[in-house]
Amino acid sequence: MSKLSTRVTNMATSATLAMAAKARELRAEGKDIIGLSLGEPDFNTPDFIKDAAIQAVNDNYNSYTPVDGYVDLKEAIITKFKRDNNLDYKLPQIVVSTGAKQSLANIALVCLDPGDEVILPCPYWVSYADIVKIAEGVPVEVKTSIETDFKMTASQLEAAITPKTKMLWYSSPCNPSGSIYSKEELRALADVLAKHPQIVVVSDEIYEHINYVGAHASMAQFPDMYDRTVTVNGVSKAFAMTGWRVGYIGGPEYIARACNKMQGQITSGTNCIAQRAVITALEAPVSKVKYMVDEFKNRRKLILDLLSDIPGFQCNEPEGAFYVFPNISHYFGKTLGGTKIENATDFSLYLLEAANVATVTGVAFGNPDCIRISYAASVDNIKEAMKRVKEAVS
Ligand code: PMP
Ligand code: GLU
């Protein structure tokens, strides 16, 4: 008998975290690795947020917190949802968690029974499929391609629905493709869902503010979808707070209550100091952190320009987030520097070895023709990395 559960044995390791760990390991061995694998702003958390945390330490915030978050943080989240998304939530509809990743895990654990199907438009964020599987749900991948800007169409959604479909999960702006669903595109999906009232939607909006085209639409803004949509968000990306571990949801009260119950048995409430700092972050005008978005926008242009000069990299123009997701299938079946490239994983590993550049295989995002490159890195690192990649594939 195995000493470990089938659950963990069958689970994939998070490819983003694994690649980041591998890059760290190689760096420790003295290799000059440029890490473009992890989706993590290279900015420091802004000072006004750090000051709030220091104040919280000095004010002796050190006790257990309410499982679903401090009331004044939940109030700040309610104000944020109204201000940015025109969504009206009440206190029992909000749950604060240890990162949006925990928010997603809570949702899966409280909504899914064994065999329930969850539709995941591909490419999807790396952890969706495995979180669904941990909850014994069945991920149903809907393939998309560059031709539709990696977005799922209404007819694809319709075709994927079965009597077992329980949920649809997507991110917009999307990690990894950077694509953004317009209000019209979401409405077209909502029209399909209108015929299937049992399906609950998870709208992951963690890249909401990292948007280069302007409009952000939320599924819950449609009155007929409000009661069946869980809106997931967090502070990791827009506020450069990945390590602080705070995410949150707004959604139907029955789901929020269940998440509260689940979290109460697993982690309890989120870290007290981080929660106090997040109140300050969310209460600030978004313009206070726009300098980071402006910088990501410059880097997006830079990396797209540099990639357009490397043969065999076919890119969409990402509208948000900080990733490019080039199709590199041109190299499949070819030999580069003595290494036979059969798939995106081989290609990503080849770049790590030959160019000392860490990327993530598209396999982990449900798209085996692509790799993900994060441009949340310095201009110098992006330039040097693309130079090395170009050399490694020529
Ligand atoms: N959703 C998406 C689409 C993400 O890219 C990430 C990455 N961090 C998360 C959720 C989880 O974020 P957090 O750091 O809040 O757990
Ligand atoms: N969301 C980031 C990424 O996609 C962080 C890594 C993770 O949480 O898996 O790279």
Side-chain angles (χ1 to χ4, degrees):
M1 196 199 290
S2 165
K3 286 188 177 162
L4 291 174
S5 68
T6 326
R7 180 181 308 109
V8 76
T9 310
N10 288 349
M11 224 175 104
T13 300
S14 163
T16 46
L17 301 186
M19 199 54 160
K22 178 129 187 101
R24 257 182 237 127
E25 224 172 78
L26 292 173
R27 243 178 243 128
E29 287 170 16
K31 293 221 168 99
D32 172 24
I33 304 289
I34 301 180
L36 305 182
S37 58
L38 205 56
E40 162 151 80
D42 60 323
F43 292 96
N44 287 324
T45 305
D47 285 344
F48 74 97
I49 302 175
K50 292 198 281 197
D51 289 344
I54 292 163
Q55 188 64 44
V57 173
N58 289 330
D59 287 347
N60 295 312
Y61 278 95
N62 41 32
S63 310
Y64 282 129
T65 61
V67 171
D68 53 348
Y70 285 125
V71 170
D72 49 352
L73 172 53
K74 298 207 299 171
E75 281 166 351
I77 291 168
I78 288 170
T79 306
K80 173 256 155 333
F81 272 132
K82 186 68 189 168
R83 178 192 69 188
D84 299 339
N85 315 111
N86 198 25
L87 291 175
D88 288 297
Y89 289 116
K90 299 200 166 44
L91 285 171
Q93 294 179 275
I94 307 291
V95 179
V96 180
S97 297
T98 300
K101 201 180 254 183
Q102 188 186 20
S103 304
L104 292 162
N106 284 339
I107 296 166
L109 290 170
V110 308
C111 289
L112 298 176
D113 277 320
D116 285 343
E117 293 178 1
V118 178
I119 294 178
L120 304 179
C122 301
Y124 48 76
W125 180 48
V126 66
S127 291
Y128 288 177
D130 279 282
I131 289 176
V132 165
K133 286 192 220 157
I134 291 167
E136 297 184 60
V138 180
V140 175
E141 297 187 348
V142 175
K143 301 285 175 199
T144 70
S145 65
I146 260 177
E147 283 68 43
T148 58
D149 192 26
F150 291 115
K151 286 186 263 192
M152 177 176 69
T153 62
S155 51
Q156 284 182 301
L157 172 61
E158 182 91 70
I161 294 172
T162 75
K164 287 189 167 172
T165 309
K166 187 86 183 277
M167 306 188 90
L168 158 66
W169 286 26
Y170 70 91
S171 62
S172 177
C174 173
N175 176 1
S177 68
S179 305
I180 294 180
Y181 283 88
S182 68
K183 191 156 195 174
E184 294 68 36
E185 286 162 340
L186 288 182
R187 186 60 252 174
L189 300 180
D191 286 343
V192 173
L193 295 168
K195 292 176 256 169
H196 305 275
Q198 81 282 8
I199 301 176
V200 170
V201 176
V202 170
S203 173
D204 180 344
E205 304 182 12
I206 197 161
Y207 293 95
E208 169 187 15
H209 296 306
I210 304 177
N211 177 325
Y212 313 114
V213 293
H216 174 82
S218 298
M219 187 62 102
Q221 285 165 341
F222 300 121
D224 59 325
M225 291 305 299
Y226 176 82
D227 280 333
R228 41 192 294 215
T229 300
V230 189
T231 308
V232 175
N233 211 320
V235 292
S236 286
K237 312 294 168 173
F239 297 95
M241 295 180 76
T242 49
W244 297 67
R245 311 305 305 128
V246 181
Y248 55 88
I249 61 162
E253 193 175 324
Y254 76 96
I255 293 181
R257 283 191 190 282
C259 289
N260 186 356
K261 181 176 167 189
M262 180 63 66
Q263 186 162 292
Q265 292 288 22
I266 298 181
T267 54
S268 303
T270 308
N271 175 286
C272 50
I273 307 303
Q275 286 197 55
R276 301 315 300 169
V278 171
I279 296 175
T280 299
L282 293 181
E283 284 178 345
V286 179
S287 56
K288 255 189 136 157
V289 287
K290 196 169 167 288
Y291 63 95
M292 293 189 262
V293 182
D294 293 342
E295 188 51 37
F296 291 139
K297 190 172 180 182
N298 293 337
R299 296 175 194 181
R300 175 185 68 151
K301 181 170 181 337
L302 172 69
I303 198 163
L304 285 174
D305 286 350
L306 293 171
L307 280 172
S308 71
D309 200 31
I310 307 179
F313 280 67
Q314 199 199 349
C315 294
N316 66 320
E317 184 166 319
E319 298 180 321
F322 33 57
Y323 311 99
V324 280
F325 196 60
N327 181 315
I328 42 77
S329 58
H330 164 85
Y331 291 101
F332 297 174
K334 300 201 162 75
T335 301
L336 293 173
T339 305
K340 183 96 193 268
I341 307 296
E342 304 280 13
N343 51 48
T345 307
D346 289 347
F347 190 74
S348 173
L349 287 173
Y350 173 72
L351 293 186
L352 184 63
E353 262 152 45
N356 283 353
V357 173
T359 59
V360 187
T361 172
V363 172
F365 303 90
N367 187 326
D369 289 334
C370 298
I371 59 166
R372 190 189 76 174
I373 308 176
S374 164
Y375 55 87
S378 71
V379 165
D380 285 349
N381 275 348
I382 292 172
K383 283 186 182 160
E384 173 63 20
M386 292 307 109
K387 188 171 139 251
R388 291 189 198 171
V389 168
K390 191 173 175 186
E391 280 163 15
V393 298
S394 56

